[in-house]
Amino acid sequence: MKSLSGAEIRQSYIDFFKSKGHTFVRSASLVPGGDQTILFTNAGMVQFKDVFLGTDKRPYTRAANSQKCMRVAGKHNDLEDVGRDDTHHTFFEMLGNWSFGDYYKNEAIEWAWELLTEVWEVPSEKLWTTYFLDDKGDIPADNEAKEYWKTQKGMNPDHVLAGGRKDNFWEMAETGPCGPCSEIHIDRGPEYCDKAGVPGHVCQVNGDCKRYLELWNLVFIQYNRLNASTLEPLPAKHVDTGMGLERIVSIMQGVTSNYLTDLLSPLMKTVQTLAGHNEKQMQKNFTPYRVIADHARATTFLIADGVVPGNTGRNYITRMIIRRASRFGGKLGLNKSFLADVADSVIEQYGEAYPELVKNRKTILDNITREESRFHRTIESGMGQLEDYINDLKVKNLTRLDGERAFELYATHGLPLELTRDILQEQGLTVDEEGFKGAMDDHRIASGAGKAMGEMGGEDVSIYSSILDDLTAKAKLSLAGVLFDPYSKMNIEGEILAIVKNGLPVEEAVAGEEVEIVLPETCFYIESGGQVADRGKIVTSGDTDIFSVVDVRKPAAGIIIHIGKVEQGKIKVGDKITAKVDSARRQDIRRNHTATHLLHAELHKVIGKHALQAGSMVSPDRLRFDFNHPEAVTTEQLELIEAGVNQNILENYKLEIKERSLQDAMKEGATALFGEKYGEVVRTVVIGNQEPISFELCGGTHVAETGDIGLFLITSEGSTAAGVRRIEAVTGRAAYALVQQRTKLLKQSAALMQTSQEELPAKIELVLSESDNRKKQASLYKAKLAEYEFQKQLMNVQVKNGASVYGGLIPEVDLDTLRLLSDLFKDKYPSGAVILATVIDGKPSIVVSISDDLIKRGLNAGEIARAAAQVVGGNGGGRPNLAQAGGKDALKIDEAIATAIKIVNEKL
Ligand code: ATP
Ligand code: MG
């Protein structure tokens, strides 16, 4: 086999397919752009899903790349294999090549074989392949693939095996594109079998031992599944392949484990240095080593894509894997934060192929260490609690921990379900995972956050695709479909091509009806990149018939619909119309969008480069911007940010907006946003003169010059999730309205305070301090009055066995005064007991004071207060010499005093 490094193998894969006419497409983010159905990108095809579904088109028909994948949630979850085996990771790289209606099985098979056996020189006699043969007998066998495989140079025909639906038929979802697939396996040799000696075991492809390893899966998408029993052939057939980089590297480098390839061994080395182990000790602890190396790598890539540790969804996964790695670190004696060191090796190892790691180095390392310390703070109580639960299970002879308890371990002690499961498994116990999810969802729904994870699914696009087919057949639309240009025009003339009502095409719609309209061209913006869709009107000549547009969407490739309601008259297919964007609203949106870019740039300047965009919303009335930052932005920073943005507005920079290739844009330093999907040609928005202040990839609409924004005011700053902050702001008209409203308030306040606006703060301070003084004065008088009142009451002091005893009600005083009066009593009667009560805001309060000599005679103020409290329905307590009580029932206050006196008298 060729001797190549992991990085060289990655590159040679891409170069090979480039030589076969493929376009290199950058790896998409781990966070799938605009796809709510999966948590993470889990295969190379995810970024092309829309192309297979027919809702999107690309400028190329052949593509290849190396895609960042995560398999820790949903249908593809390999977490439990990580640490136990050498071939499954949470994060891994998937090499892939695609044909979108271009080449098919023949070329896909031939090239895969050529790359493996000729370029990489993998011995052909070790390779095995599979083709589809339906185990249910409904779907035709993939005999084409079988024949192609058998005729490859050097292929042993006996190594071409049939496989059923489980391994050899691929489906995206319940319905939609699907087809047979062919896997390529390698025979690693009998020494890899881990089931030797197990009765009945036979080593085989897709068997249950580790001798045969799956390397590559070639999917041939040729059907559209309409329902459980109906497949319809697709007019355009596609190829989708995926090969795990780490696996092929382990084969070519002749090592027994993915972790011993040059991709992962530097991480293992770092762990070894941290643990201070020799080779033998490392071998003995291979499981924790594997978990730590895998999880450190996954975490590094996740945070670089903006997924910081948190409580829910994706963020929960980052938290969970950091905590899991931390616990396995404990097994190696790494009890302090250590994972950032391993992450640093990841950045060093992968930084060249994935520059986002280098760019976000500080954010990655800081987030990891912070999360580890958070975990360290709670781990002991969590483990203690879990021990108790385990003992409880054992005592009751049970083997399964219930979901509620598992959730409580997470919610109160920060122990993720996956860790609880690990720990239970180590003792032969299990946990009710469904119950955990239920408890988590209940909790989230109660706190208004919705379900934890979505389901995979798709919208029915067939009606829109058939409208497109129909209109192209009639030459009403070109093959490119509806033209889209929200940038150069605000009005267009056209003809109504189709009307859709409740999912069905109709010929006309009358006033009051809500429908969707298809035009040959549109200047309405479609919601994307956080910018909301345009609104406006579609009218017939002379404004006789009016349709108001409230939303605009692209439900299928080539089709754009204007959603809204007929306000007046009647509209029909074939009507000549004018479509007009609500231009005042659009101006507001443009101002907010450009201001968002200025804000993003200013955040980087004032609080740092780690403040990556984590979400944004641009609407006409305000803008909202979420970014990664661990703590609240200070008032001073906010002032600086606001001032900086306004300064750049005043500079009146021209915006330079142009299209260029994604590669050029990235090379020149454009900021790409995580979770966004970019095509090969991107639109770049540059603000600034020679040195750009802001350089972003953006499809939104913007002002011509920054001065058009007018004014920028921050209205709020807060947090949305752990490590994510949100700023809201207004510009232009809304900013003016805000200033106007604030000025009016200021004027009113000044008038009320009978002063000028400038003098207002001084005046308020003065009035406040005057009022303070008055309050102090008043309470002083009240205390004096109470004292006077009290002195009069003291004529009733009783003496019993040498001790002075008094109990009484002092109207309308506070607790402090009561205590003051009890001190007064003490001064006057050095040996005595006093019970003083009052009612404040309808609630009774009692103070009990006992002189020290009487304590020796068995009196206790705390006990007496408790007894009195019981009478008024409350609680009491304190020291033996001074205690107090409070309650609810003011009517029983006299009875409470009497009870207290009675106890005193009994003891004396
Ligand atoms: P396996 O049966 O080994 O789990 P799979 O059938 O889940 O593999 P596919 O979904 O076909 O794999 O993915 C394509 C390729 O990606 C596989 O052939 C394999 O090389 C690689 N791969 C899949 N899962 C992982 C993983 N968790 N870690 C590393 N590589 C993986
Ligand atoms: Mg798998």
Side-chain angles (χ1 to χ4, degrees):
M1 274 177 277
K2 267 254 173 70
S3 153
L4 295 174
S5 70
E8 285 166 346
I9 292 172
R10 185 194 292 122
Q11 192 57 45
S12 82
Y13 179 90
I14 292 164
D15 291 342
F16 175 80
F17 282 101
K18 270 189 179 167
S19 79
K20 305 286 184 197
H22 290 63
T23 299
F24 167 70
V25 178
R26 278 164 47 92
S27 168
S29 164
L30 282 171
V31 178
D35 189 340
Q36 308 299 325
T37 62
I38 44 174
L39 220 47
F40 292 109
T41 298
N42 54 21
M45 56 73 60
V46 170
Q47 67 166 316
F48 303 115
K49 207 166 114 182
D50 291 348
V51 184
F52 294 133
L53 286 169
T55 56
D56 198 6
K57 285 196 170 126
R58 295 293 162 95
Y60 41 78
T61 54
R62 299 176 181 193
N65 79 358
S66 174
Q67 173 65 47
K68 304 184 273 189
C69 295
M70 278 294 288
R71 292 194 171 181
V72 284
K75 192 174 152 210
H76 286 294
N77 187 344
D78 292 337
L79 183 75
E80 286 191 79
D81 288 326
V82 175
R84 292 211 204 131
D85 80 10
D86 289 289
T87 54
H88 285 92
H89 306 292
T90 55
F91 169 93
F92 67 101
E93 290 179 83
M94 196 188 280
L95 302 166
N97 58 286
W98 290 273
S99 156
F100 307 119
D102 188 338
Y103 65 84
Y104 203 45
K105 287 177 199 171
N106 191 0
E107 296 88 335
I109 289 173
E110 186 184 314
W111 291 336
W113 192 253
E114 180 185 336
L115 175 63
L116 284 173
T117 61
E118 287 174 29
V119 181
W120 288 343
E121 298 165 10
V122 179
S124 55
E125 66 274 12
K126 289 194 178 175
L127 294 172
W128 292 69
T129 71
T130 58
Y131 69 93
F132 176 63
L133 179 68
D134 194 3
D135 34 340
K136 296 201 180 143
D138 295 338
I139 310 170
D142 192 1
N143 290 322
E144 280 173 300
K146 174 173 139 194
E147 286 317 310
Y148 290 136
W149 281 121
K150 287 195 172 179
T151 51
Q152 294 307 312
K153 207 166 97 198
M155 170 59 95
N156 176 350
D158 295 342
H159 284 196
V160 181
L161 307 173
R165 289 196 186 192
K166 185 175 144 286
D167 293 310
N168 288 84
F169 198 85
W170 180 90
E171 313 208 29
M172 187 184 290
E174 304 294 304
T175 59
C178 57
C181 62
S182 267
E183 298 169 335
I184 305 176
H185 294 251
I186 188 154
D187 179 358
R188 314 190 76 184
E191 66 276 21
Y192 278 82
C193 174
D194 54 346
K195 293 272 158 65
V198 174
H201 171 75
V202 184
C203 295
Q204 57 188 341
V205 168
N206 281 326
D208 57 355
C209 77
K210 293 186 173 160
R211 173 164 169 186
Y212 292 90
L213 176 66
E214 177 186 332
L215 285 180
W216 203 346
N217 194 355
L218 280 50
V219 182
F220 310 117
I221 302 176
Q222 67 185 71
Y223 301 113
N224 183 21
R225 184 175 280 290
L226 299 177
N227 54 50
S229 59
T230 322
L231 293 177
E232 157 193 270
L234 281 176
K237 299 180 169 54
H238 315 287
V239 173
D240 158 31
T241 89
M243 166 159 58
L245 174 69
E246 296 81 357
R247 291 193 190 175
I248 182 67
V249 174
S250 80
I251 298 299
M252 291 180 62
Q253 296 184 346
V255 289
T256 53
S257 161
N258 286 5
Y259 294 93
L260 300 176
T261 62
D262 72 335
L263 293 170
L264 285 151
S265 61
L267 318 187
M268 302 291 268
K269 266 263 159 320
T270 305
V271 181
Q272 192 182 7
T273 311
L274 288 168
H277 281 173
N278 58 30
E279 270 324 289
K280 220 169 136 201
Q281 287 169 309
M282 172 169 162
Q283 288 305 330
K284 232 181 98 197
N285 289 290
F286 214 54
T287 294
Y289 271 85
R290 290 188 284 213
V291 174
I292 294 166
D294 175 89
H295 287 10
R297 185 171 70 152
T299 308
T300 307
F301 275 90
L302 279 170
I303 299 175
D305 276 350
V307 191
V308 294
N311 261 336
T312 52
R314 299 184 174 108
N315 306 87
Y316 169 79
I317 300 288
T318 307
R319 160 158 297 169
M320 180 274 288
I321 56 181
I322 292 177
R323 294 185 175 200
R324 194 162 183 258
S326 172
R327 190 176 91 86
F328 276 89
K331 290 180 189 269
L332 302 183
L334 299 170
N335 292 317
K336 297 225 174 65
S337 301
F338 69 94
L339 209 56
D341 285 349
V342 191
D344 216 8
S345 306
V346 177
I347 299 172
E348 189 157 314
Q349 175 68 5
Y350 284 91
E352 208 177 307
Y354 298 97
E356 64 268 31
L357 303 185
V358 181
K359 203 166 147 196
N360 297 305
R361 186 170 176 272
K362 188 169 164 359
T363 309
I364 295 167
L365 303 185
D366 287 355
N367 264 292
I368 291 178
T369 307
R370 247 199 320 273
E371 183 59 26
E372 279 178 297
S373 347
R374 266 189 221 120
F375 184 47
H376 288 150
R377 281 201 292 276
T378 55
I379 172 119
E380 264 175 51
S381 63
M383 298 294 273
Q385 183 69 56
L386 179 53
E387 298 269 297
D388 290 349
Y389 288 161
I390 290 176
N391 288 336
D392 195 40
L393 286 178
K394 288 185 174 160
V395 167
K396 293 185 180 146
N397 232 340
L398 297 171
T399 57
R400 189 155 106 142
L401 182 70
D402 72 69
E404 284 286 337
R405 285 189 160 184
F407 178 68
E408 193 213 301
L409 283 172
Y410 174 59
T412 339
H413 303 283
L415 212 59
L417 170 71
E418 292 77 357
L419 259 74
T420 301
R421 185 176 63 200
D422 284 345
I423 296 165
L424 288 169
Q425 262 173 9
E426 287 163 13
Q427 309 223 18
L429 305 169
T430 61
V431 52
D432 173 11
E433 302 194 17
E434 283 308 311
F436 176 91
K437 287 197 191 98
M440 186 155 178
D441 278 338
D442 287 351
H443 175 78
R444 286 170 52 71
I445 287 163
S447 63
K451 280 237 176 199
M453 286 162 201
E455 303 286 323
M456 188 98 172
E459 190 180 4
D460 182 17
V461 299
S462 55
I463 140 101
Y464 300 104
S465 310
S466 64
I467 288 178
L468 179 65
D469 291 346
D470 187 41
L471 291 171
T472 45
K474 289 185 190 147
K476 291 275 186 191
L477 280 180
S478 78
L479 279 176
V482 177
L483 302 176
F484 174 66
D485 177 11
Y487 308 116
S488 64
K489 299 175 220 168
M490 296 289 277
N491 297 328
I492 52 125
E493 312 265 312
E495 172 191 342
I496 295 183
L497 295 182
I499 303 174
V500 177
K501 190 181 172 190
N502 297 330
L504 292 173
V506 293
E507 281 303 306
E508 56 175 48
V510 297
E513 283 188 281
E514 292 181 7
V515 296
E516 301 158 4
I517 295 181
V518 180
L519 304 173
E521 182 186 352
T522 192
C523 51
F524 282 68
Y525 189 77
I526 300 171
E527 175 169 346
S528 101
Q531 178 178 332
V532 299
D534 279 328
R535 293 187 172 180
K537 283 191 167 45
I538 296 175
V539 297
T540 54
S541 74
D543 281 0
T544 16
D545 310 292
I546 303 175
F547 177 81
S548 63
V549 180
V550 296
D551 197 5
V552 187
R553 287 202 308 119
K554 186 175 182 182
I559 289 287
I560 294 172
I561 51 174
H562 301 78
I563 304 167
K565 187 168 161 187
V566 184
E567 299 289 347
Q568 180 186 310
K570 174 165 112 181
I571 52 159
K572 316 185 284 303
V573 172
D575 276 354
K576 299 276 178 271
I577 52 86
T578 308
K580 309 175 190 173
V581 171
D582 177 341
S583 77
R585 184 172 177 277
R586 166 73 85 78
Q587 301 296 351
D588 291 336
I589 293 174
R590 286 166 48 159
R591 281 189 282 263
N592 281 340
H593 204 150
T594 309
T596 302
H597 287 208
L598 291 177
L599 169 63
H600 194 188
E602 210 56 35
L603 276 168
H604 282 191
K605 204 163 123 193
V606 176
I607 67 174
K609 288 260 182 269
H610 65 276
L612 286 181
Q613 173 163 349
S616 141
M617 205 257 316
V618 178
S619 61
D621 56 331
R622 73 205 152 104
L623 63 96
R624 197 173 76 197
F625 191 77
D626 296 347
F627 52 99
N628 294 330
H629 188 52
E631 64 214 5
V633 184
T634 65
T635 313
E636 292 73 34
Q637 287 172 326
L638 283 176
E639 280 171 8
L640 276 175
I641 292 164
E642 191 180 87
V645 171
N646 281 300
Q647 182 57 38
N648 286 331
I649 290 173
L650 291 180
E651 296 291 341
N652 204 23
Y653 294 117
K654 273 210 166 38
L655 271 80
E656 191 209 356
I657 301 180
K658 64 178 184 193
E659 299 205 327
R660 50 187 128 194
S661 78
L662 179 61
Q663 222 154 350
D664 286 351
M666 298 308 287
K667 233 184 268 158
E668 286 170 40
T671 311
L673 304 180
F674 98 87
E676 283 294 325
K677 209 159 75 177
Y678 298 105
E680 276 316 284
V681 176
V682 292
R683 200 162 165 269
T684 54
V685 178
V686 180
I687 309 175
N689 293 336
Q690 287 87 11
E691 266 294 291
I693 311 166
S694 156
F695 183 179
E696 294 200 21
L697 303 185
C698 175
T701 62
H702 288 271
V703 297
E705 294 163 340
T706 56
D708 297 347
I709 297 170
L711 176 64
F712 168 86
L713 294 175
I714 293 177
T715 51
S716 73
E717 192 276 343
S719 104
T720 58
V724 180
R725 308 295 303 178
R726 167 171 293 176
I727 283 183
E728 293 194 320
V730 291
T731 69
R733 289 199 291 176
Y736 176 67
L738 183 64
V739 171
Q740 222 181 8
Q741 179 208 0
R742 286 182 181 167
T743 313
K744 203 163 148 196
L745 279 177
L746 195 60
K747 254 190 215 156
Q748 281 173 346
S749 311
L752 279 174
M753 298 301 276
Q754 294 171 334
T755 183
S756 69
Q757 292 174 32
E758 289 72 23
E759 305 273 335
L760 191 55
K763 184 75 184 262
I764 290 175
E765 248 171 43
L766 184 75
V767 171
L768 281 180
S769 88
E770 275 175 8
S771 129
D772 237 26
N773 283 341
R774 277 200 200 110
K775 265 192 214 140
K776 273 188 204 138
Q777 205 88 58
S779 71
L780 213 68
Y781 283 135
K782 241 182 172 171
K784 281 255 176 293
L785 211 63
E787 192 184 324
Y788 176 71
E789 180 73 17
F790 185 54
Q791 295 284 9
K792 276 201 305 194
Q793 290 189 10
L794 289 182
M795 301 198 308
N796 301 325
V797 170
Q798 310 271 320
V799 180
K800 185 158 184 207
N801 292 337
S804 307
V805 179
Y806 180 70
L809 184 70
I810 317 286
E812 284 180 56
V813 291
D814 55 20
L815 263 176
D816 282 342
T817 313
L818 279 194
R819 267 186 233 111
L820 214 79
L821 296 180
S822 71
D823 287 347
L824 206 104
F825 182 89
K826 231 178 183 166
D827 288 346
K828 206 159 169 179
Y829 306 100
S831 171
V834 63
I835 292 102
L836 298 179
T838 188
V839 176
I840 312 163
D841 296 333
K843 293 223 168 73
S845 293
I846 300 166
V847 167
V848 182
S849 171
I850 307 287
S851 64
D852 291 343
D853 61 323
L854 297 190
I855 295 176
K856 289 191 194 112
R857 284 164 66 181
L859 283 184
N860 184 319
E863 268 167 30
I864 298 168
R866 264 193 296 281
Q870 264 185 4
V871 180
V872 287
N875 295 313
R879 286 174 282 126
N881 61 347
L882 185 67
Q884 68 191 52
K888 297 182 203 101
D889 196 351
L891 291 177
K892 292 207 169 147
I893 191 98
D894 288 327
E895 195 186 315
I897 298 172
T899 304
I901 294 289
K902 193 161 157 251
I903 299 175
V904 172
N905 282 332
E906 278 167 9
K907 299 247 162 149
L908 288 176

